[in-house]
């Protein structure tokens, strides 16, 4: 793809990419924005190249997922190194986007139920329900077999239904 086509494809999938980045970053809006931007840079600079073996959206979601994992590792390393006063002040200046999302009770209940799911179930459900991917495309994004994705999808739906209805397994 040439740079113009890449830019157009990124723009077309921007909303979906934002939602997936938010999920990959545990609903941390600041980190999700960083991850999405870093992913776009990788794509536009050619460090991540679309080979056409899947849909552009599926491939882009894989880039975002890997970039989020890189950011989590970087955050962990930063926590291991003591911060100076300037870095501590900058970190405390950011608000908590997750807290803002949970202001309404219904959103808080849904987020709690989603957090209670195992990560793989949560990822598959997000890709299928919120990003309109097929289970096969979700499997491709996550790097798992279609059978494993189907299992996580079905178990995740059942567990989420139980959690939202107040039943205990």
């Amino acid at each position: 793809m040439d740079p113009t086509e890449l830019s157009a494809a990124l723009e077309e999938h921007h909303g979906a990419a934002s939602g997936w980045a938010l999920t990959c970053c545990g609903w941390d809006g600041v980190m999700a924005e960083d991850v999405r931007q870093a992913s776009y840079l990788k794509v536009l600079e050619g460090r991540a190249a679309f080979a056409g073996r899947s849909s552009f959206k599926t491939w882009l979601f894989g880039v975002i997922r890997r970039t989020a994992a890189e950011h989590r590792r970087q955050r962990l390393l930063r926590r291991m190194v003591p911060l100076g006063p300037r870095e501590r002040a900058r970190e405390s200046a950011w608000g908590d986007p997750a807290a803002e999302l949970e202001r309404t009770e219904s959103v808080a209940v849904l987020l709690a139920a989603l957090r209670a799911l195992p990560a793989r179930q949560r990822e598959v459900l997000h890709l299928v329900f919120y990003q309109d991917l097929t289970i096969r495309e979700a499997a491709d994004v996550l790097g798992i077999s279609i059978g494993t994705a189907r299992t996580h999808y079905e178990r995740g739906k059942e567990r989420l239904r139980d959690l939202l209805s107040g039943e205990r397994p």
Side-chain angles (χ1 to χ4, degrees):
M1 293 180 114
D2 68 35
T4 305
E5 290 175 320
L6 279 175
S7 294
L10 289 173
E11 188 174 325
E12 177 185 346
H13 298 293
H14 180 73
S18 296
W20 178 238
L22 199 57
T23 297
C24 290
C25 296
W27 296 95
D28 180 333
V30 174
M31 182 179 172
E33 177 72 18
D34 290 345
V35 164
R36 195 189 70 232
Q37 292 300 322
S39 298
Y40 285 7
L41 279 174
K42 284 180 182 179
V43 170
L44 293 171
E45 292 174 350
R47 290 182 286 134
F50 179 60
R53 289 189 296 263
S54 63
S55 73
F56 182 83
K57 183 178 180 180
T58 300
W59 171 79
L60 177 61
F61 280 20
V63 172
I64 291 169
R65 184 170 181 264
R66 287 185 297 281
T67 303
E70 291 167 8
H71 272 66
R72 282 191 302 273
R73 281 190 298 274
Q74 289 171 357
R75 274 188 164 183
L76 181 62
L77 288 173
R78 280 192 299 252
R79 286 185 191 146
M80 298 171 95
V81 176
L83 296 177
R86 189 169 33 197
E87 289 84 5
R88 277 194 297 274
R90 187 173 48 237
E91 270 195 4
S92 66
W94 291 102
D96 182 8
E100 292 175 24
L101 285 175
E102 293 177 352
R103 286 184 190 215
T104 64
E105 188 172 320
S106 60
V107 172
V109 169
L110 178 59
L111 288 176
L114 287 169
R115 284 188 191 116
L117 295 176
R120 191 56 55 125
Q121 289 176 9
R122 185 173 53 247
E123 291 171 338
V124 170
L125 289 176
H126 179 90
L127 290 169
V128 171
F129 286 112
Y130 294 106
Q131 303 302 333
D132 295 323
L133 295 184
T134 64
I135 294 175
R136 177 172 301 287
E137 290 170 327
D140 290 345
V141 167
L142 299 172
I144 59 177
S145 73
I146 183 76
T148 300
R150 279 191 187 113
T151 299
H152 287 299
Y153 174 75
E154 292 301 328
R155 288 180 183 169
K157 281 192 321 183
E158 182 179 331
R159 178 78 175 116
L160 190 59
R161 189 178 308 115
D162 291 345
L163 289 167
L164 292 174
S165 70
E167 295 177 22
R168 297 285 177 207

